[in-house]
Amino acid sequence: MEVNSVLKCCFIPQCDCRIHSIPSVPIVDCFQKIRQQVKCYLQKAHAAGRNEIAETTTSLHEGLNVIESTNLKYFTKEMTAEFYALKGVFLAQLGRADESNKVFSASVQLHDTLVKGWALWGDYMEQLFTKEKPENRNMGYGISAMTCYLHSCRHQNESKARKYLAKILWLLTFDDQKGSLSETIEKNFVPVPALQWLPWIPQLLTCLVQTEGRPILNILSHVGRVYPQAVYFPIRTLYLILKIEQREKHKSSSAQSTTPSPAVSMGENSTTNSNEFPPSTTPSAESLPIRATQPMWRCSRIMHMQRDIHPTVLSCLEGIVDQMVWFRENVYEEVLRQLRQALAKCYAVAYENAGAVSEAPVTPHTLSFVKKLVSTFGIGVENVSGHAAGSSSASESLARRAQATAQDPVFQRMKGQFTADFDFTVPGAMKLHNLISKLKKWIKILESKTKILPKSFLIEEKCRFLNNFAQQTADVEIPGEFLLPRHNHYFVRIARFMPKYDIVQKHNAAARRIYIKGHNGKIYPYLVVNDACLSDARREERVLQLLRMLNHYLGKQKETAKRFLNFTVPRVVPVSPQMRLVEDNESSVSLLDIYKQRCAKRGIEYDAPLARFYERLATVQARGSQASHQVLRDILKDVQSIMVSRTLLKDWVEQTYPAATDYWTFRKQFTLQLSLAGFIEFVLHLSRLNPDMMYVHQDSGLMNVSYFRFNIEDSKGELEANRPVPFRLTPNIAEFITPIGVSGPMTASIVAAARCLAMPNFKVISILRAILKDEMTAWYKKRQDDSPNPDPKDAEGPAIVAMVNKATGLIMGRLNGLCSTQQVSTLVAVANSHDNLCRMDPAWHPWL
């Protein structure tokens, strides 16, 4: 029966008899007809909302009457059980709690493997559990909800079980002092297939370091037995991060007391030995003894268990990770990356002090970073605290580097000049504009040094293990294969590492591009990228995890699927606290690189517009007045007329794709990808989209964004929303896409994506809560560490629940707002307005 007919049958009484005019109707068709009719009544009640209570109640009663008037003796047990489950939903919404519980119970007793029955009962129990205040909350409802969700996941495929596992992880936030919910998950998780936990490993690791760690330890051990590689890389990285943090705490405490503490102290297992530490991470003799915390012990126990079950695979993984340290940057590249970071910090401070450009001082945070950079010149800021937690190869690599730099007179002379230039006792050195000019000077010096260095090497020179590795050694999947679960037959395994690796400038660093040949014959390029900040790296991975999950929903809905709307999400695998493997596309180029290429052809410095912006501001302020809005407009217009024309991007595309078909195809794909990037930046309150974050794939027109993070205010832990423009739609981009592209495909794509993700049956809010819980937990932990008067431990749960609920409320409000074409058109006009663009930070390149 057609859907339109079913919908008419739901709301037009005279059409209700259509199906009965067919002489012989299969029982399945009758079941589908009644089920669709009942669902329409539910949707009608949901659409009416709280403002029309009478209409909602009428719809609920009508739907309930349809089920009660149906003769269920002709249906199978599974069909009858589903009708009972739907009846339970109607009774629950009408406030008849006791009857609702009895009907849900009858439903799952009729058919124990009915996923929908367990899930709907779980939703009802969760609603009862979470709506009460913390002091009045009935833990029995929470235990029941978690039990229902775990039962519903036993017979689901992974993509459908995702939202229910997300709810389970969210419910753990409400656990009491007895650990009632943790105990429930420990009793009932075994029947859930290990495959279904794979997308949630980052969240499980967050839980592992908290109070509910023991049940999570068992889940991770269960998953690690089946998928060792999926668990080993993230848990090894977490272990090393915890070890670095503990060493820093121990250093501060050892300054007060010289008495060495026991090497290991654990409550869960008093008989431990050196085997609790991974072979490549055992504390060296010269390092300070540290006290292993409970989370460190749990991580170590899981890794130890994995080694016992999968010795060959784990030895190979350890060997591969051990070799990655030879792909670290050389001295010049590392200092150059750190100088660029310092310059970015300075530009951010400069914009904050735009009211007094000439007098803006260097902030204490920036000063500390630059001083540390001077003192560790050639060693690396992040290597000072983290090298001891690395492998033996890492220590050897650093030792060789220190020896080489000590014996290099050119480098020593450069180090002396560098130290002299950044001497902050010199008059005027504490002025921000002077520091910016010095940083720019040294960036140019080091860029010229790195340009003359070789751009490719053979891995056999240093990485003998990678050179000799073959599929016969062990079945090791290519990095990131388990980020989105598939059937075992579809996982691609490493056949070998290709003999050459390249040095490429990507992600604001000199990354090493290695090539992995899969057992399917395809070559997979990966970047080995150094990350200075541990917490920011995890924050980006959380956003990528969310986008991967949202892709599933975009592919399920007609309007988004027909437009091929799909986030381009590279695989990112952390292999150590400061190093990640990032899936790469050899043809990808960032928008900033395109801009730099065009500036180089014209003989213009790419950061000249920034210098011009602050010069003009300083000139206006020197006259004793502040820059008005008209002055900012004039600066933007001036830059566009002299330095960065509106057609810069369009000219590059025309030169790259001279054929009309290629040009049109690239522009269409770029428009769709940009619309998704703008949509997600606005809806999720992500960090602003800088040109160096946008990587365009020249072979397909796809675009991935690196280093997207939730834009959280440091003081309150709330999502920031104050920005002149909602997303990136600068004059150059608008000129390339054309006005028709902006008002047509771009606007339509944003509306289609919003309507897809706003569909209630996808339960996107449950996915958001599980991921934002991790984000808010990390923020809360950082605030507790920095605060002289931290909150009591029992206040953490309610505080995180309040923050996450507020954040999801803001996100869902924006998402529902974008379902309106008029609202999207308004946002597009705001993003493309010169009045708003001129108020953006010049480091964002509003002219580009």
Side-chain angles (χ1 to χ4, degrees):
M1 193 175 188
E2 291 185 1
V3 175
N4 291 338
S5 303
V6 173
L7 291 173
K8 288 177 183 175
C9 291
C10 296
F11 302 119
I12 306 175
Q14 61 265 32
C15 296
D16 200 30
C17 58
R18 286 186 180 186
I19 196 168
H20 304 294
S21 63
I22 304 171
S24 177
V25 183
I27 197 68
V28 175
D29 291 343
C30 291
F31 168 72
Q32 291 290 349
K33 182 259 177 187
I34 297 168
R35 186 174 70 164
Q36 292 297 335
Q37 187 176 354
V38 168
K39 281 185 174 180
C40 287
Y41 281 119
L42 264 180
Q43 192 169 1
K44 188 179 177 184
H46 181 267
R50 296 178 181 177
N51 298 330
E52 302 172 6
I53 298 174
E55 186 180 343
T56 302
T57 307
T58 304
S59 298
L60 292 173
H61 278 297
E62 287 174 352
L64 187 60
N65 288 336
V66 170
I67 298 174
E68 289 179 337
S69 61
T70 302
N71 191 346
L72 300 176
K73 70 178 182 180
Y74 297 107
F75 298 102
T76 64
K77 281 189 176 181
E78 185 176 358
M79 294 174 182
T80 306
E82 186 164 342
F83 280 137
Y84 272 119
L86 289 168
K87 183 180 178 180
V89 174
F90 281 104
L91 290 169
Q93 294 197 12
L94 286 168
R96 293 153 66 175
D98 292 338
E99 293 177 66
S100 175
N101 267 324
K102 288 176 183 176
V103 173
F104 277 127
S105 177
S107 170
V108 296
Q109 285 179 39
L110 268 172
H111 198 274
D112 181 54
T113 59
L114 181 69
V115 169
K116 191 169 291 184
W118 285 112
L120 291 173
W121 197 5
D123 287 339
Y124 173 56
M125 300 309 291
E126 183 197 17
Q127 186 183 359
L128 292 176
F129 178 62
T130 55
K131 74 177 182 181
E132 298 293 340
K133 293 181 179 179
E135 58 272 13
N136 301 326
R137 200 166 279 146
N138 185 345
M139 289 304 295
Y141 289 146
I143 292 169
S144 300
M146 189 166 281
T147 305
C148 289
Y149 287 140
L150 286 165
H151 276 285
S152 72
C153 292
R154 290 181 302 174
H155 305 285
Q156 281 273 31
N157 61 36
E158 188 280 321
S159 58
K160 289 183 179 177
R162 222 175 268 171
K163 55 192 174 189
Y164 302 123
L165 289 179
K167 285 174 176 285
I168 289 168
L169 293 166
W170 171 239
L171 283 172
L172 282 172
T173 319
F174 299 86
D175 209 356
D176 58 8
Q177 295 293 330
K178 300 176 184 176
S180 306
L181 297 179
S182 302
E183 189 178 343
T184 305
I185 207 173
E186 190 171 19
K187 289 177 181 176
N188 296 285
F189 81 89
V190 174
V192 179
L195 181 79
Q196 298 188 4
W197 292 104
L198 288 183
W200 298 107
I201 285 175
Q203 282 65 42
L204 291 174
L205 292 178
T206 302
C207 294
L208 187 71
V209 301
Q210 295 174 333
T211 52
E212 63 264 23
R214 192 168 184 82
I216 304 301
L217 182 146
N218 294 332
I219 294 174
L220 284 167
S221 300
H222 170 61
V223 179
R225 286 187 183 96
V226 187
Y227 303 101
Q229 188 173 334
V231 173
Y232 187 73
F233 276 140
I235 206 162
R236 178 186 186 276
T237 303
L238 173 64
Y239 177 85
L240 294 177
I241 290 172
L242 292 172
K243 191 174 178 183
I244 291 170
E245 290 175 353
Q246 186 66 7
R247 176 169 283 113
E248 292 302 313
K249 290 178 183 176
H250 184 70
K251 280 181 181 177
S252 59
S253 62
S254 64
Q256 302 170 4
S257 173
T258 55
T259 307
S261 58
V264 179
S265 174
M266 291 167 269
E268 295 183 26
N269 187 357
S270 58
T271 59
T272 57
N273 52 40
S274 60
N275 289 332
E276 294 298 337
F277 293 93
S280 66
T281 58
T282 305
S284 55
E286 69 272 14
S287 63
L288 292 168
I290 61 169
R291 184 183 296 275
T293 59
Q294 291 282 1
M296 288 172 65
W297 175 81
R298 292 178 193 135
C299 293
S300 182
R301 181 171 173 181
I302 293 170
M303 289 190 286
H304 191 65
M305 177 276 299
Q306 285 189 281
R307 278 198 195 85
D308 291 342
I309 299 172
H310 303 281
T312 308
V313 173
L314 268 295
S315 296
C316 288
L317 291 178
E318 198 65 51
I320 290 170
V321 174
D322 204 41
Q323 299 274 279
M324 288 298 161
V325 298
W326 293 109
F327 296 122
R328 68 166 67 245
E329 302 151 317
N330 65 34
V331 176
Y332 298 113
E333 292 164 344
E334 194 161 21
V335 175
L336 177 59
R337 171 170 58 84
Q338 292 158 355
L339 287 173
R340 285 171 176 161
Q341 290 172 359
L343 184 60
K345 291 176 191 288
C346 288
Y347 276 136
V349 174
Y351 186 67
E352 289 170 5
N353 293 274
V357 174
S358 302
E359 302 303 317
V362 178
T363 61
H365 181 265
T366 309
L367 180 64
S368 171
F369 182 84
V370 175
K371 282 185 174 179
K372 200 169 184 181
L373 188 58
V374 173
S375 63
T376 60
F377 188 80
I379 302 171
V381 172
E382 57 266 24
N383 294 326
V384 173
S385 61
H387 75 277
S391 64
S392 56
S393 291
S395 303
E396 183 186 350
S397 173
L398 282 173
R400 285 193 183 183
R401 175 189 293 186
Q403 185 180 2
T405 53
Q407 296 172 355
D408 184 357
V410 176
F411 180 80
Q412 292 301 321
R413 188 162 57 251
M414 181 184 288
K415 184 175 182 179
Q417 293 169 351
F418 187 85
T419 307
D421 268 7
F422 290 97
D423 182 3
F424 289 96
T425 59
V426 176
M430 290 299 291
K431 292 289 178 68
L432 188 63
H433 65 272
N434 289 336
L435 178 59
I436 288 175
S437 62
K438 288 175 184 176
L439 288 170
K440 286 165 70 173
K441 168 193 164 183
W442 276 97
I443 286 172
K444 284 182 183 177
I445 292 171
L446 290 167
E447 279 179 344
S448 62
K449 286 278 185 186
T450 55
K451 279 179 184 176
I452 61 175
L453 295 173
K455 293 294 180 279
S456 63
F457 295 90
L458 296 174
I459 63 170
E460 67 178 352
E461 293 175 2
K462 291 181 180 177
C463 308
R464 192 59 59 86
F465 182 85
L466 297 184
N467 189 54
N468 296 335
F469 182 86
Q471 193 179 354
Q472 291 78 8
T473 311
D475 277 337
V476 177
E477 280 77 16
I478 64 171
E481 273 292 88
F482 297 103
L483 290 172
L484 265 188
R486 292 176 289 179
H487 194 277
N488 269 347
H489 295 307
Y490 296 102
F491 288 131
V492 181
R493 294 172 177 82
I494 298 176
R496 60 167 295 186
F497 289 87
M498 302 306 284
K500 188 186 74 168
Y501 70 90
D502 299 328
I503 299 176
V504 293
Q505 294 293 328
K506 282 193 173 181
H507 302 284
N508 293 320
R512 270 57 177 165
R513 182 193 283 146
I514 61 174
Y515 301 89
I516 301 174
K517 186 175 184 179
H519 78 290
N520 58 356
K522 187 179 175 183
I523 305 293
Y524 296 86
Y526 278 83
L527 296 177
V528 184
V529 182
N530 286 281
D531 286 306
C533 187
L534 312 181
S535 56
D536 280 359
R538 303 294 84 78
R539 291 182 66 192
E540 184 206 356
E541 288 158 22
R542 278 192 276 273
V543 174
L544 296 179
Q545 178 191 15
L546 176 58
L547 297 187
R548 283 190 202 98
M549 293 185 178
L550 296 184
N551 271 341
H552 172 70
Y553 300 124
L554 294 176
K556 296 280 284 183
Q557 217 264 344
K558 183 188 73 173
E559 291 299 318
T560 50
K562 78 177 184 182
R563 289 179 170 85
F564 303 104
L565 293 178
N566 196 274
F567 295 105
T568 305
V569 189
R571 299 167 176 178
V572 178
V573 180
V575 293
S576 76
Q578 282 104 16
M579 196 171 282
R580 297 192 293 170
L581 285 172
V582 181
E583 186 182 15
D584 188 34
N585 183 304
E586 292 178 77
S587 68
S588 65
V589 60
S590 72
L591 183 60
L592 186 65
D593 289 333
I594 294 170
Y595 168 62
K596 285 181 178 179
Q597 289 173 21
R598 306 304 291 182
C599 286
K601 284 192 174 184
R602 295 183 58 195
I604 300 173
E605 292 289 340
Y606 76 91
D607 55 355
L610 278 75
R612 191 174 188 84
F613 177 88
Y614 288 113
E615 283 172 13
R616 290 282 298 271
L617 283 188
T619 304
V620 171
Q621 290 162 7
R623 301 191 197 115
S625 60
Q626 281 299 325
S628 63
H629 188 258
Q630 186 57 44
V631 170
L632 296 176
R633 278 184 61 91
D634 291 343
I635 295 173
L636 178 61
K637 188 176 179 181
D638 188 27
V639 169
Q640 284 183 297
S641 61
I642 299 173
M643 298 177 178
V644 187
S645 69
R646 291 177 63 97
T647 61
L648 184 145
L649 178 59
K650 184 180 178 182
D651 293 342
W652 176 83
V653 178
E654 285 177 348
Q655 185 179 341
T656 309
Y657 304 98
T661 305
D662 295 343
Y663 179 88
W664 186 91
T665 306
F666 177 84
R667 186 178 64 185
K668 176 69 180 296
Q669 193 64 57
F670 179 84
T671 304
L672 297 177
Q673 293 283 290
L674 183 74
S675 65
L676 280 178
F679 160 74
I680 211 69
E681 178 188 350
F682 175 71
V683 168
L684 296 182
H685 298 73
L686 300 181
S687 52
R688 68 187 193 190
L689 182 55
N690 291 330
D692 59 319
M693 295 162 58
M694 295 172 58
Y695 281 88
V696 182
H697 300 187
Q698 297 177 70
D699 57 354
S700 61
L702 297 175
M703 183 181 77
N704 70 278
V705 181
S706 61
Y707 301 103
F708 249 160
R709 298 189 298 272
F710 290 103
N711 195 18
I712 294 180
E713 189 183 3
D714 288 337
S715 58
K716 298 180 182 177
E718 297 175 358
L719 293 175
E720 283 192 29
N722 298 324
R723 206 179 291 166
V725 295
F727 45 78
R728 189 173 197 90
L729 187 61
T730 50
N732 252 286
I733 293 174
E735 180 72 21
F736 168 55
I737 292 176
T738 72
I740 293 173
V742 171
S743 60
M746 185 173 184
T747 302
S749 297
I750 294 175
V751 173
R755 288 177 180 174
C756 169
L757 299 181
M759 292 179 73
N761 57 315
F762 285 160
K763 292 186 171 59
V764 169
I765 193 168
S766 61
I767 307 280
L768 281 171
R769 280 179 178 147
I771 291 175
L772 280 168
K773 174 192 169 185
D774 275 18
E775 189 75 17
M776 298 305 176
T777 301
W779 176 88
Y780 192 86
K781 180 179 179 293
K782 183 176 181 295
R783 196 192 72 164
Q784 293 288 85
D785 293 342
D786 296 343
S787 173
N789 300 311
D791 297 336
K793 186 67 179 174
D794 56 359
E796 181 177 344
I800 289 172
V801 168
M803 288 191 293
V804 172
N805 283 334
K806 185 171 184 179
T808 50
L810 290 171
I811 289 171
M812 294 308 293
R814 282 193 170 184
L815 183 61
N816 292 320
L818 290 186
C819 294
S820 161
T821 307
Q822 185 178 0
Q823 174 73 9
V824 174
S825 299
T826 304
L827 282 178
V828 166
V830 169
N832 201 18
S833 166
H834 279 233
D835 287 332
N836 296 323
L837 287 167
C838 69
R839 293 189 290 124
M840 285 298 289
D841 183 350
W844 186 75
H845 293 278
W847 36 82
L848 181 59

